[in-house]
Amino acid sequence: MTPSASPSSVLVCTDFSSRSGLALQRAQRLSQVMQAPLEVLHVMGGAVLDDLRDWLGMGGTAEQALLDDAQQQASAWLQAWGAGGSAAADVRVVSGHAVAEIVSHIRQSGAELVLVGARGEGDLLRMVVGSTAERLLRRTQTPLLV
């Protein structure tokens, strides 16, 4: 980043766990030091929404209601971790495969730094294919703070 360039964002990815809350607190401090906007990203598992669509015959309205609920949960989570007053926090909730959506968001936003919690809530998946952080390390060149 050159001095004349506007700073790109600091991205923190969350599953609303306590460890991602710690990552949020660190991201807040770093975004202030870097004078960069703070982005918060939560990815709802796409497979879960696909299963609900198949099982319930849900349309876009029900899916949007789930995304809106997750957006409200994200706002409450930010408040609980002391980030509610941060004017620079841009909160996004999307659905899909977590790693693929995070990598896509990094590319689109040009995030300069990505922060994730050391461990989330998915113990079985972590045992089989590794943590989200480990999979992100293999898929992006963006600096990753765990």
Side-chain angles (χ1 to χ4, degrees), residues 10-17 19-24 27 38-43 77 92 98-99 101-103 105-106 111 113-120 132-133 136 144-145:
V10 172
L11 174 65
V12 61
C13 304
T14 182
D15 60 0
F16 305 132
S17 67
R19 292 183 190 248
S20 61
L22 296 173
L24 171 67
L38 175 63
E39 291 186 286
V40 178
L41 179 66
H42 173 69
V43 181
W77 180 81
R92 297 199 179 171
V99 173
E101 290 298 326
I102 294 168
V103 169
H105 186 81
I106 291 168
L113 177 65
V114 179
L115 289 88
V116 296
R119 279 189 355 194
T132 299
L136 281 172
L144 182 68
L145 180 59

PDB file of all heavy atoms in Angstrom, residues 10-17 19-24 27 38-43 77 92 98-99 101-103 105-106 111 113-120 132-133 136 144-145:
ATOM      1  N   VAL A  10      -9.885  -4.274   6.618  1.00  0.00           N
ATOM      2  CA  VAL A  10      -9.523  -5.376   7.488  1.00  0.00           C
ATOM      3  C   VAL A  10     -10.792  -6.218   7.614  1.00  0.00           C
ATOM      4  O   VAL A  10     -11.854  -5.708   7.967  1.00  0.00           O
ATOM      5  CB  VAL A  10      -9.073  -4.871   8.883  1.00  0.00           C
ATOM      6  CG1 VAL A  10      -8.879  -6.036   9.839  1.00  0.00           C
ATOM      7  CG2 VAL A  10      -7.806  -4.041   8.764  1.00  0.00           C
ATOM      8  N   LEU A  11     -10.691  -7.487   7.279  1.00  0.00           N
ATOM      9  CA  LEU A  11     -11.842  -8.383   7.259  1.00  0.00           C
ATOM     10  C   LEU A  11     -11.754  -9.366   8.411  1.00  0.00           C
ATOM     11  O   LEU A  11     -10.730 -10.027   8.581  1.00  0.00           O
ATOM     12  CB  LEU A  11     -11.892  -9.144   5.927  1.00  0.00           C
ATOM     13  CG  LEU A  11     -12.951 -10.239   5.783  1.00  0.00           C
ATOM     14  CD1 LEU A  11     -14.358  -9.638   5.820  1.00  0.00           C
ATOM     15  CD2 LEU A  11     -12.728 -11.022   4.496  1.00  0.00           C
ATOM     16  N   VAL A  12     -12.815  -9.450   9.194  1.00  0.00           N
ATOM     17  CA  VAL A  12     -12.889 -10.471  10.237  1.00  0.00           C
ATOM     18  C   VAL A  12     -14.064 -11.385   9.887  1.00  0.00           C
ATOM     19  O   VAL A  12     -15.157 -10.925   9.560  1.00  0.00           O
ATOM     20  CB  VAL A  12     -13.028  -9.867  11.661  1.00  0.00           C
ATOM     21  CG1 VAL A  12     -14.281  -9.046  11.812  1.00  0.00           C
ATOM     22  CG2 VAL A  12     -12.976 -10.957  12.726  1.00  0.00           C
ATOM     23  N   CYS A  13     -13.795 -12.684   9.895  1.00  0.00           N
ATOM     24  CA  CYS A  13     -14.809 -13.681   9.557  1.00  0.00           C
ATOM     25  C   CYS A  13     -15.307 -14.298  10.856  1.00  0.00           C
ATOM     26  O   CYS A  13     -14.506 -14.634  11.728  1.00  0.00           O
ATOM     27  CB  CYS A  13     -14.214 -14.754   8.659  1.00  0.00           C
ATOM     28  SG  CYS A  13     -13.468 -14.068   7.171  1.00  0.00           S
ATOM     29  N   THR A  14     -16.617 -14.468  10.971  1.00  0.00           N
ATOM     30  CA  THR A  14     -17.173 -14.938  12.223  1.00  0.00           C
ATOM     31  C   THR A  14     -18.181 -16.061  12.045  1.00  0.00           C
ATOM     32  O   THR A  14     -18.882 -16.126  11.045  1.00  0.00           O
ATOM     33  CB  THR A  14     -17.856 -13.785  12.992  1.00  0.00           C
ATOM     34  OG1 THR A  14     -18.344 -14.297  14.227  1.00  0.00           O
ATOM     35  CG2 THR A  14     -18.991 -13.176  12.208  1.00  0.00           C
ATOM     36  N   ASP A  15     -18.196 -16.931  13.028  1.00  0.00           N
ATOM     37  CA  ASP A  15     -19.265 -17.917  13.163  1.00  0.00           C
ATOM     38  C   ASP A  15     -20.029 -17.653  14.462  1.00  0.00           C
ATOM     39  O   ASP A  15     -20.747 -18.497  14.945  1.00  0.00           O
ATOM     40  CB  ASP A  15     -18.705 -19.346  13.131  1.00  0.00           C
ATOM     41  CG  ASP A  15     -17.717 -19.615  14.255  1.00  0.00           C
ATOM     42  OD1 ASP A  15     -17.456 -18.712  15.075  1.00  0.00           O
ATOM     43  OD2 ASP A  15     -17.200 -20.743  14.323  1.00  0.00           O
ATOM     44  N   PHE A  16     -19.822 -16.471  15.021  1.00  0.00           N
ATOM     45  CA  PHE A  16     -20.424 -16.000  16.263  1.00  0.00           C
ATOM     46  C   PHE A  16     -19.898 -16.741  17.496  1.00  0.00           C
ATOM     47  O   PHE A  16     -20.486 -16.662  18.559  1.00  0.00           O
ATOM     48  CB  PHE A  16     -21.963 -16.061  16.231  1.00  0.00           C
ATOM     49  CG  PHE A  16     -22.579 -15.336  15.074  1.00  0.00           C
ATOM     50  CD1 PHE A  16     -23.559 -15.937  14.308  1.00  0.00           C
ATOM     51  CD2 PHE A  16     -22.178 -14.053  14.750  1.00  0.00           C
ATOM     52  CE1 PHE A  16     -24.143 -15.271  13.238  1.00  0.00           C
ATOM     53  CE2 PHE A  16     -22.754 -13.375  13.680  1.00  0.00           C
ATOM     54  CZ  PHE A  16     -23.730 -13.990  12.926  1.00  0.00           C
ATOM     55  N   SER A  17     -18.798 -17.455  17.365  1.00  0.00           N
ATOM     56  CA  SER A  17     -18.199 -18.147  18.509  1.00  0.00           C
ATOM     57  C   SER A  17     -17.379 -17.151  19.327  1.00  0.00           C
ATOM     58  O   SER A  17     -17.067 -16.044  18.875  1.00  0.00           O
ATOM     59  CB  SER A  17     -17.294 -19.289  18.032  1.00  0.00           C
ATOM     60  OG  SER A  17     -16.167 -18.770  17.355  1.00  0.00           O
ATOM     61  N   ARG A  19     -14.271 -17.442  20.097  1.00  0.00           N
ATOM     62  CA  ARG A  19     -12.955 -17.254  19.476  1.00  0.00           C
ATOM     63  C   ARG A  19     -13.001 -16.251  18.326  1.00  0.00           C
ATOM     64  O   ARG A  19     -12.064 -15.486  18.129  1.00  0.00           O
ATOM     65  CB  ARG A  19     -12.378 -18.583  19.023  1.00  0.00           C
ATOM     66  CG  ARG A  19     -12.027 -19.450  20.215  1.00  0.00           C
ATOM     67  CD  ARG A  19     -11.387 -20.738  19.793  1.00  0.00           C
ATOM     68  NE  ARG A  19     -11.290 -21.613  20.931  1.00  0.00           N
ATOM     69  CZ  ARG A  19     -10.159 -21.961  21.498  1.00  0.00           C
ATOM     70  NH1 ARG A  19      -9.033 -21.503  21.027  1.00  0.00           N
ATOM     71  NH2 ARG A  19     -10.144 -22.776  22.523  1.00  0.00           N
ATOM     72  N   SER A  20     -14.095 -16.244  17.589  1.00  0.00           N
ATOM     73  CA  SER A  20     -14.179 -15.231  16.536  1.00  0.00           C
ATOM     74  C   SER A  20     -14.472 -13.861  17.147  1.00  0.00           C
ATOM     75  O   SER A  20     -14.152 -12.837  16.547  1.00  0.00           O
ATOM     76  CB  SER A  20     -15.204 -15.612  15.456  1.00  0.00           C
ATOM     77  OG  SER A  20     -16.495 -15.737  15.983  1.00  0.00           O
ATOM     78  N   GLY A  21     -15.033 -13.834  18.346  1.00  0.00           N
ATOM     79  CA  GLY A  21     -15.189 -12.569  19.060  1.00  0.00           C
ATOM     80  C   GLY A  21     -13.842 -11.969  19.430  1.00  0.00           C
ATOM     81  O   GLY A  21     -13.635 -10.759  19.335  1.00  0.00           O
ATOM     82  N   LEU A  22     -12.921 -12.828  19.822  1.00  0.00           N
ATOM     83  CA  LEU A  22     -11.563 -12.358  20.114  1.00  0.00           C
ATOM     84  C   LEU A  22     -10.897 -11.836  18.843  1.00  0.00           C
ATOM     85  O   LEU A  22     -10.184 -10.830  18.876  1.00  0.00           O
ATOM     86  CB  LEU A  22     -10.733 -13.480  20.739  1.00  0.00           C
ATOM     87  CG  LEU A  22     -11.229 -13.976  22.103  1.00  0.00           C
ATOM     88  CD1 LEU A  22     -10.449 -15.203  22.543  1.00  0.00           C
ATOM     89  CD2 LEU A  22     -11.167 -12.875  23.142  1.00  0.00           C
ATOM     90  N   ALA A  23     -11.151 -12.517  17.724  1.00  0.00           N
ATOM     91  CA  ALA A  23     -10.620 -12.043  16.438  1.00  0.00           C
ATOM     92  C   ALA A  23     -11.219 -10.686  16.086  1.00  0.00           C
ATOM     93  O   ALA A  23     -10.520  -9.811  15.560  1.00  0.00           O
ATOM     94  CB  ALA A  23     -10.913 -13.067  15.337  1.00  0.00           C
ATOM     95  N   LEU A  24     -12.487 -10.472  16.403  1.00  0.00           N
ATOM     96  CA  LEU A  24     -13.123  -9.188  16.156  1.00  0.00           C
ATOM     97  C   LEU A  24     -12.443  -8.082  16.953  1.00  0.00           C
ATOM     98  O   LEU A  24     -12.152  -7.020  16.409  1.00  0.00           O
ATOM     99  CB  LEU A  24     -14.607  -9.238  16.510  1.00  0.00           C
ATOM    100  CG  LEU A  24     -15.333  -7.886  16.505  1.00  0.00           C
ATOM    101  CD1 LEU A  24     -15.409  -7.330  15.088  1.00  0.00           C
ATOM    102  CD2 LEU A  24     -16.701  -8.011  17.126  1.00  0.00           C
ATOM    103  N   ALA A  27      -9.233  -7.311  15.335  1.00  0.00           N
ATOM    104  CA  ALA A  27      -9.469  -6.645  14.050  1.00  0.00           C
ATOM    105  C   ALA A  27      -9.819  -5.172  14.256  1.00  0.00           C
ATOM    106  O   ALA A  27      -9.375  -4.315  13.481  1.00  0.00           O
ATOM    107  CB  ALA A  27     -10.585  -7.359  13.286  1.00  0.00           C
ATOM    108  N   LEU A  38     -13.303  -1.545   8.753  1.00  0.00           N
ATOM    109  CA  LEU A  38     -13.472  -2.892   9.294  1.00  0.00           C
ATOM    110  C   LEU A  38     -14.679  -3.537   8.645  1.00  0.00           C
ATOM    111  O   LEU A  38     -15.761  -2.953   8.602  1.00  0.00           O
ATOM    112  CB  LEU A  38     -13.668  -2.823  10.810  1.00  0.00           C
ATOM    113  CG  LEU A  38     -13.974  -4.139  11.521  1.00  0.00           C
ATOM    114  CD1 LEU A  38     -12.812  -5.122  11.372  1.00  0.00           C
ATOM    115  CD2 LEU A  38     -14.275  -3.888  12.992  1.00  0.00           C
ATOM    116  N   GLU A  39     -14.477  -4.743   8.126  1.00  0.00           N
ATOM    117  CA  GLU A  39     -15.576  -5.522   7.551  1.00  0.00           C
ATOM    118  C   GLU A  39     -15.758  -6.775   8.385  1.00  0.00           C
ATOM    119  O   GLU A  39     -14.775  -7.392   8.806  1.00  0.00           O
ATOM    120  CB  GLU A  39     -15.267  -5.941   6.118  1.00  0.00           C
ATOM    121  CG  GLU A  39     -15.241  -4.818   5.124  1.00  0.00           C
ATOM    122  CD  GLU A  39     -15.064  -5.357   3.727  1.00  0.00           C
ATOM    123  OE1 GLU A  39     -13.937  -5.783   3.416  1.00  0.00           O
ATOM    124  OE2 GLU A  39     -16.049  -5.363   2.971  1.00  0.00           O
ATOM    125  N   VAL A  40     -17.008  -7.153   8.608  1.00  0.00           N
ATOM    126  CA  VAL A  40     -17.346  -8.375   9.328  1.00  0.00           C
ATOM    127  C   VAL A  40     -18.141  -9.241   8.365  1.00  0.00           C
ATOM    128  O   VAL A  40     -19.120  -8.782   7.771  1.00  0.00           O
ATOM    129  CB  VAL A  40     -18.181  -8.071  10.591  1.00  0.00           C
ATOM    130  CG1 VAL A  40     -18.571  -9.355  11.294  1.00  0.00           C
ATOM    131  CG2 VAL A  40     -17.415  -7.148  11.527  1.00  0.00           C
ATOM    132  N   LEU A  41     -17.714 -10.507   8.219  1.00  0.00           N
ATOM    133  CA  LEU A  41     -18.376 -11.420   7.281  1.00  0.00           C
ATOM    134  C   LEU A  41     -18.797 -12.688   8.011  1.00  0.00           C
ATOM    135  O   LEU A  41     -17.988 -13.314   8.706  1.00  0.00           O
ATOM    136  CB  LEU A  41     -17.426 -11.775   6.129  1.00  0.00           C
ATOM    137  CG  LEU A  41     -17.969 -12.750   5.084  1.00  0.00           C
ATOM    138  CD1 LEU A  41     -19.135 -12.133   4.310  1.00  0.00           C
ATOM    139  CD2 LEU A  41     -16.864 -13.176   4.127  1.00  0.00           C
ATOM    140  N   HIS A  42     -20.066 -13.043   7.859  1.00  0.00           N
ATOM    141  CA  HIS A  42     -20.583 -14.311   8.367  1.00  0.00           C
ATOM    142  C   HIS A  42     -21.148 -15.075   7.184  1.00  0.00           C
ATOM    143  O   HIS A  42     -21.936 -14.535   6.403  1.00  0.00           O
ATOM    144  CB  HIS A  42     -21.670 -14.083   9.414  1.00  0.00           C
ATOM    145  CG  HIS A  42     -22.351 -15.354   9.836  1.00  0.00           C
ATOM    146  ND1 HIS A  42     -21.707 -16.326  10.570  1.00  0.00           N
ATOM    147  CD2 HIS A  42     -23.601 -15.808   9.607  1.00  0.00           C
ATOM    148  CE1 HIS A  42     -22.551 -17.322  10.782  1.00  0.00           C
ATOM    149  NE2 HIS A  42     -23.699 -17.037  10.204  1.00  0.00           N
ATOM    150  N   VAL A  43     -20.745 -16.335   7.055  1.00  0.00           N
ATOM    151  CA  VAL A  43     -21.234 -17.167   5.958  1.00  0.00           C
ATOM    152  C   VAL A  43     -22.145 -18.240   6.539  1.00  0.00           C
ATOM    153  O   VAL A  43     -21.711 -19.052   7.352  1.00  0.00           O
ATOM    154  CB  VAL A  43     -20.077 -17.823   5.180  1.00  0.00           C
ATOM    155  CG1 VAL A  43     -20.626 -18.655   4.027  1.00  0.00           C
ATOM    156  CG2 VAL A  43     -19.098 -16.772   4.666  1.00  0.00           C
ATOM    157  N   TRP A  77     -24.223  -9.735  18.028  1.00  0.00           N
ATOM    158  CA  TRP A  77     -22.889 -10.262  18.350  1.00  0.00           C
ATOM    159  C   TRP A  77     -21.880  -9.125  18.415  1.00  0.00           C
ATOM    160  O   TRP A  77     -21.049  -9.071  19.311  1.00  0.00           O
ATOM    161  CB  TRP A  77     -22.512 -11.308  17.302  1.00  0.00           C
ATOM    162  CG  TRP A  77     -21.189 -11.947  17.479  1.00  0.00           C
ATOM    163  CD1 TRP A  77     -20.878 -12.970  18.326  1.00  0.00           C
ATOM    164  CD2 TRP A  77     -19.987 -11.640  16.771  1.00  0.00           C
ATOM    165  NE1 TRP A  77     -19.563 -13.305  18.194  1.00  0.00           N
ATOM    166  CE2 TRP A  77     -18.995 -12.505  17.244  1.00  0.00           C
ATOM    167  CE3 TRP A  77     -19.656 -10.711  15.788  1.00  0.00           C
ATOM    168  CZ2 TRP A  77     -17.697 -12.475  16.761  1.00  0.00           C
ATOM    169  CZ3 TRP A  77     -18.371 -10.688  15.305  1.00  0.00           C
ATOM    170  CH2 TRP A  77     -17.410 -11.558  15.794  1.00  0.00           C
ATOM    171  N   ARG A  92     -21.647  -8.077   6.753  1.00  0.00           N
ATOM    172  CA  ARG A  92     -22.272  -8.789   5.632  1.00  0.00           C
ATOM    173  C   ARG A  92     -22.548 -10.220   6.036  1.00  0.00           C
ATOM    174  O   ARG A  92     -21.717 -10.865   6.668  1.00  0.00           O
ATOM    175  CB  ARG A  92     -21.353  -8.793   4.424  1.00  0.00           C
ATOM    176  CG  ARG A  92     -21.112  -7.393   3.941  1.00  0.00           C
ATOM    177  CD  ARG A  92     -20.630  -7.358   2.563  1.00  0.00           C
ATOM    178  NE  ARG A  92     -20.462  -5.943   2.224  1.00  0.00           N
ATOM    179  CZ  ARG A  92     -19.891  -5.536   1.153  1.00  0.00           C
ATOM    180  NH1 ARG A  92     -19.424  -6.410   0.299  1.00  0.00           N
ATOM    181  NH2 ARG A  92     -19.774  -4.258   0.898  1.00  0.00           N
ATOM    182  N   ALA A  98     -18.294 -21.798   3.268  1.00  0.00           N
ATOM    183  CA  ALA A  98     -17.571 -20.766   4.021  1.00  0.00           C
ATOM    184  C   ALA A  98     -16.265 -20.348   3.349  1.00  0.00           C
ATOM    185  O   ALA A  98     -16.046 -19.157   3.107  1.00  0.00           O
ATOM    186  CB  ALA A  98     -17.316 -21.235   5.448  1.00  0.00           C
ATOM    187  N   VAL A  99     -15.401 -21.283   3.055  1.00  0.00           N
ATOM    188  CA  VAL A  99     -14.086 -20.932   2.512  1.00  0.00           C
ATOM    189  C   VAL A  99     -14.224 -20.277   1.145  1.00  0.00           C
ATOM    190  O   VAL A  99     -13.593 -19.250   0.874  1.00  0.00           O
ATOM    191  CB  VAL A  99     -13.154 -22.161   2.470  1.00  0.00           C
ATOM    192  CG1 VAL A  99     -11.853 -21.834   1.762  1.00  0.00           C
ATOM    193  CG2 VAL A  99     -12.887 -22.672   3.888  1.00  0.00           C
ATOM    194  N   GLU A 101     -16.771 -18.618  -0.087  1.00  0.00           N
ATOM    195  CA  GLU A 101     -17.363 -17.281   0.052  1.00  0.00           C
ATOM    196  C   GLU A 101     -16.373 -16.281   0.637  1.00  0.00           C
ATOM    197  O   GLU A 101     -16.329 -15.128   0.223  1.00  0.00           O
ATOM    198  CB  GLU A 101     -18.630 -17.336   0.912  1.00  0.00           C
ATOM    199  CG  GLU A 101     -19.791 -18.034   0.248  1.00  0.00           C
ATOM    200  CD  GLU A 101     -20.272 -17.353  -1.020  1.00  0.00           C
ATOM    201  OE1 GLU A 101     -20.216 -16.109  -1.101  1.00  0.00           O
ATOM    202  OE2 GLU A 101     -20.716 -18.062  -1.931  1.00  0.00           O
ATOM    203  N   ILE A 102     -15.571 -16.727   1.595  1.00  0.00           N
ATOM    204  CA  ILE A 102     -14.566 -15.838   2.180  1.00  0.00           C
ATOM    205  C   ILE A 102     -13.530 -15.449   1.139  1.00  0.00           C
ATOM    206  O   ILE A 102     -13.179 -14.282   0.988  1.00  0.00           O
ATOM    207  CB  ILE A 102     -13.913 -16.473   3.427  1.00  0.00           C
ATOM    208  CG1 ILE A 102     -14.944 -16.614   4.549  1.00  0.00           C
ATOM    209  CG2 ILE A 102     -12.717 -15.641   3.895  1.00  0.00           C
ATOM    210  CD1 ILE A 102     -14.481 -17.485   5.709  1.00  0.00           C
ATOM    211  N   VAL A 103     -13.028 -16.426   0.394  1.00  0.00           N
ATOM    212  CA  VAL A 103     -12.036 -16.154  -0.651  1.00  0.00           C
ATOM    213  C   VAL A 103     -12.622 -15.211  -1.700  1.00  0.00           C
ATOM    214  O   VAL A 103     -11.967 -14.262  -2.128  1.00  0.00           O
ATOM    215  CB  VAL A 103     -11.526 -17.469  -1.288  1.00  0.00           C
ATOM    216  CG1 VAL A 103     -10.711 -17.196  -2.542  1.00  0.00           C
ATOM    217  CG2 VAL A 103     -10.703 -18.257  -0.280  1.00  0.00           C
ATOM    218  N   HIS A 105     -15.004 -13.024  -1.251  1.00  0.00           N
ATOM    219  CA  HIS A 105     -15.140 -11.696  -0.650  1.00  0.00           C
ATOM    220  C   HIS A 105     -13.783 -10.994  -0.564  1.00  0.00           C
ATOM    221  O   HIS A 105     -13.692  -9.794  -0.803  1.00  0.00           O
ATOM    222  CB  HIS A 105     -15.779 -11.790   0.733  1.00  0.00           C
ATOM    223  CG  HIS A 105     -16.070 -10.454   1.321  1.00  0.00           C
ATOM    224  ND1 HIS A 105     -17.178  -9.723   0.989  1.00  0.00           N
ATOM    225  CD2 HIS A 105     -15.369  -9.700   2.192  1.00  0.00           C
ATOM    226  CE1 HIS A 105     -17.158  -8.580   1.634  1.00  0.00           C
ATOM    227  NE2 HIS A 105     -16.070  -8.541   2.384  1.00  0.00           N
ATOM    228  N   ILE A 106     -12.734 -11.739  -0.237  1.00  0.00           N
ATOM    229  CA  ILE A 106     -11.385 -11.154  -0.179  1.00  0.00           C
ATOM    230  C   ILE A 106     -11.016 -10.576  -1.541  1.00  0.00           C
ATOM    231  O   ILE A 106     -10.522  -9.458  -1.647  1.00  0.00           O
ATOM    232  CB  ILE A 106     -10.348 -12.202   0.270  1.00  0.00           C
ATOM    233  CG1 ILE A 106     -10.559 -12.584   1.733  1.00  0.00           C
ATOM    234  CG2 ILE A 106      -8.927 -11.696   0.049  1.00  0.00           C
ATOM    235  CD1 ILE A 106      -9.779 -13.813   2.177  1.00  0.00           C
ATOM    236  N   ALA A 111      -9.440  -6.911   0.579  1.00  0.00           N
ATOM    237  CA  ALA A 111      -9.051  -6.855   1.988  1.00  0.00           C
ATOM    238  C   ALA A 111      -7.544  -7.027   2.127  1.00  0.00           C
ATOM    239  O   ALA A 111      -6.928  -7.861   1.477  1.00  0.00           O
ATOM    240  CB  ALA A 111      -9.774  -7.934   2.789  1.00  0.00           C
ATOM    241  N   LEU A 113      -6.009  -7.530   5.120  1.00  0.00           N
ATOM    242  CA  LEU A 113      -5.737  -8.444   6.225  1.00  0.00           C
ATOM    243  C   LEU A 113      -7.031  -9.155   6.578  1.00  0.00           C
ATOM    244  O   LEU A 113      -8.095  -8.538   6.603  1.00  0.00           O
ATOM    245  CB  LEU A 113      -5.214  -7.658   7.429  1.00  0.00           C
ATOM    246  CG  LEU A 113      -4.927  -8.430   8.712  1.00  0.00           C
ATOM    247  CD1 LEU A 113      -3.790  -9.427   8.502  1.00  0.00           C
ATOM    248  CD2 LEU A 113      -4.576  -7.461   9.840  1.00  0.00           C
ATOM    249  N   VAL A 114      -6.933 -10.470   6.856  1.00  0.00           N
ATOM    250  CA  VAL A 114      -8.099 -11.267   7.238  1.00  0.00           C
ATOM    251  C   VAL A 114      -7.831 -11.871   8.607  1.00  0.00           C
ATOM    252  O   VAL A 114      -6.752 -12.414   8.856  1.00  0.00           O
ATOM    253  CB  VAL A 114      -8.372 -12.393   6.211  1.00  0.00           C
ATOM    254  CG1 VAL A 114      -9.565 -13.231   6.632  1.00  0.00           C
ATOM    255  CG2 VAL A 114      -8.572 -11.810   4.819  1.00  0.00           C
ATOM    256  N   LEU A 115      -8.819 -11.764   9.486  1.00  0.00           N
ATOM    257  CA  LEU A 115      -8.712 -12.341  10.816  1.00  0.00           C
ATOM    258  C   LEU A 115      -9.806 -13.376  11.005  1.00  0.00           C
ATOM    259  O   LEU A 115     -10.954 -13.150  10.612  1.00  0.00           O
ATOM    260  CB  LEU A 115      -8.856 -11.269  11.904  1.00  0.00           C
ATOM    261  CG  LEU A 115      -7.679 -10.318  12.023  1.00  0.00           C
ATOM    262  CD1 LEU A 115      -7.843  -9.146  11.105  1.00  0.00           C
ATOM    263  CD2 LEU A 115      -7.506  -9.874  13.441  1.00  0.00           C
ATOM    264  N   VAL A 116      -9.435 -14.513  11.592  1.00  0.00           N
ATOM    265  CA  VAL A 116     -10.394 -15.568  11.914  1.00  0.00           C
ATOM    266  C   VAL A 116     -10.062 -16.110  13.291  1.00  0.00           C
ATOM    267  O   VAL A 116      -8.923 -16.025  13.744  1.00  0.00           O
ATOM    268  CB  VAL A 116     -10.383 -16.721  10.881  1.00  0.00           C
ATOM    269  CG1 VAL A 116     -10.827 -16.252   9.512  1.00  0.00           C
ATOM    270  CG2 VAL A 116      -9.010 -17.368  10.793  1.00  0.00           C
ATOM    271  N   GLY A 117     -11.072 -16.676  13.937  1.00  0.00           N
ATOM    272  CA  GLY A 117     -10.845 -17.328  15.219  1.00  0.00           C
ATOM    273  C   GLY A 117     -10.046 -18.606  15.029  1.00  0.00           C
ATOM    274  O   GLY A 117     -10.083 -19.224  13.962  1.00  0.00           O
ATOM    275  N   ALA A 118      -9.325 -19.003  16.073  1.00  0.00           N
ATOM    276  CA  ALA A 118      -8.491 -20.200  15.978  1.00  0.00           C
ATOM    277  C   ALA A 118      -9.320 -21.458  15.776  1.00  0.00           C
ATOM    278  O   ALA A 118      -8.901 -22.378  15.092  1.00  0.00           O
ATOM    279  CB  ALA A 118      -7.632 -20.333  17.232  1.00  0.00           C
ATOM    280  N   ARG A 119     -10.480 -21.485  16.386  1.00  0.00           N
ATOM    281  CA  ARG A 119     -11.374 -22.635  16.240  1.00  0.00           C
ATOM    282  C   ARG A 119     -12.790 -22.137  16.262  1.00  0.00           C
ATOM    283  O   ARG A 119     -13.137 -21.267  17.042  1.00  0.00           O
ATOM    284  CB  ARG A 119     -11.211 -23.618  17.406  1.00  0.00           C
ATOM    285  CG  ARG A 119     -10.074 -24.529  17.285  1.00  0.00           C
ATOM    286  CD  ARG A 119     -10.097 -25.601  18.335  1.00  0.00           C
ATOM    287  NE  ARG A 119     -11.178 -25.424  19.320  1.00  0.00           N
ATOM    288  CZ  ARG A 119     -11.240 -26.062  20.454  1.00  0.00           C
ATOM    289  NH1 ARG A 119     -10.305 -26.895  20.783  1.00  0.00           N
ATOM    290  NH2 ARG A 119     -12.247 -25.875  21.278  1.00  0.00           N
ATOM    291  N   GLY A 120     -13.601 -22.737  15.421  1.00  0.00           N
ATOM    292  CA  GLY A 120     -15.018 -22.398  15.426  1.00  0.00           C
ATOM    293  C   GLY A 120     -15.812 -23.493  16.096  1.00  0.00           C
ATOM    294  O   GLY A 120     -15.338 -24.165  17.014  1.00  0.00           O
ATOM    295  N   THR A 132     -11.275 -23.908   9.116  1.00  0.00           N
ATOM    296  CA  THR A 132     -11.487 -22.870   8.100  1.00  0.00           C
ATOM    297  C   THR A 132     -10.191 -22.097   7.889  1.00  0.00           C
ATOM    298  O   THR A 132      -9.813 -21.807   6.751  1.00  0.00           O
ATOM    299  CB  THR A 132     -12.629 -21.931   8.532  1.00  0.00           C
ATOM    300  OG1 THR A 132     -13.826 -22.704   8.651  1.00  0.00           O
ATOM    301  CG2 THR A 132     -12.830 -20.814   7.532  1.00  0.00           C
ATOM    302  N   ALA A 133      -9.506 -21.777   8.972  1.00  0.00           N
ATOM    303  CA  ALA A 133      -8.243 -21.035   8.859  1.00  0.00           C
ATOM    304  C   ALA A 133      -7.220 -21.814   8.038  1.00  0.00           C
ATOM    305  O   ALA A 133      -6.555 -21.252   7.169  1.00  0.00           O
ATOM    306  CB  ALA A 133      -7.685 -20.735  10.247  1.00  0.00           C
ATOM    307  N   LEU A 136      -8.245 -21.663   4.436  1.00  0.00           N
ATOM    308  CA  LEU A 136      -8.010 -20.330   3.875  1.00  0.00           C
ATOM    309  C   LEU A 136      -6.534 -20.120   3.557  1.00  0.00           C
ATOM    310  O   LEU A 136      -6.200 -19.494   2.549  1.00  0.00           O
ATOM    311  CB  LEU A 136      -8.483 -19.249   4.849  1.00  0.00           C
ATOM    312  CG  LEU A 136      -9.974 -18.983   4.887  1.00  0.00           C
ATOM    313  CD1 LEU A 136     -10.319 -18.036   6.026  1.00  0.00           C
ATOM    314  CD2 LEU A 136     -10.461 -18.428   3.563  1.00  0.00           C
ATOM    315  N   LEU A 144      -3.211 -13.630   6.794  1.00  0.00           N
ATOM    316  CA  LEU A 144      -4.261 -14.202   7.626  1.00  0.00           C
ATOM    317  C   LEU A 144      -3.774 -14.264   9.060  1.00  0.00           C
ATOM    318  O   LEU A 144      -2.729 -14.856   9.342  1.00  0.00           O
ATOM    319  CB  LEU A 144      -4.603 -15.599   7.103  1.00  0.00           C
ATOM    320  CG  LEU A 144      -5.703 -16.366   7.802  1.00  0.00           C
ATOM    321  CD1 LEU A 144      -7.055 -15.691   7.566  1.00  0.00           C
ATOM    322  CD2 LEU A 144      -5.752 -17.801   7.281  1.00  0.00           C
ATOM    323  N   LEU A 145      -4.520 -13.638   9.953  1.00  0.00           N
ATOM    324  CA  LEU A 145      -4.193 -13.656  11.386  1.00  0.00           C
ATOM    325  C   LEU A 145      -5.205 -14.558  12.064  1.00  0.00           C
ATOM    326  O   LEU A 145      -6.410 -14.349  11.975  1.00  0.00           O
ATOM    327  CB  LEU A 145      -4.247 -12.254  11.967  1.00  0.00           C
ATOM    328  CG  LEU A 145      -3.922 -12.108  13.448  1.00  0.00           C
ATOM    329  CD1 LEU A 145      -2.510 -12.631  13.752  1.00  0.00           C
ATOM    330  CD2 LEU A 145      -4.047 -10.648  13.861  1.00  0.00           C
TER     331      LEU A 145
END
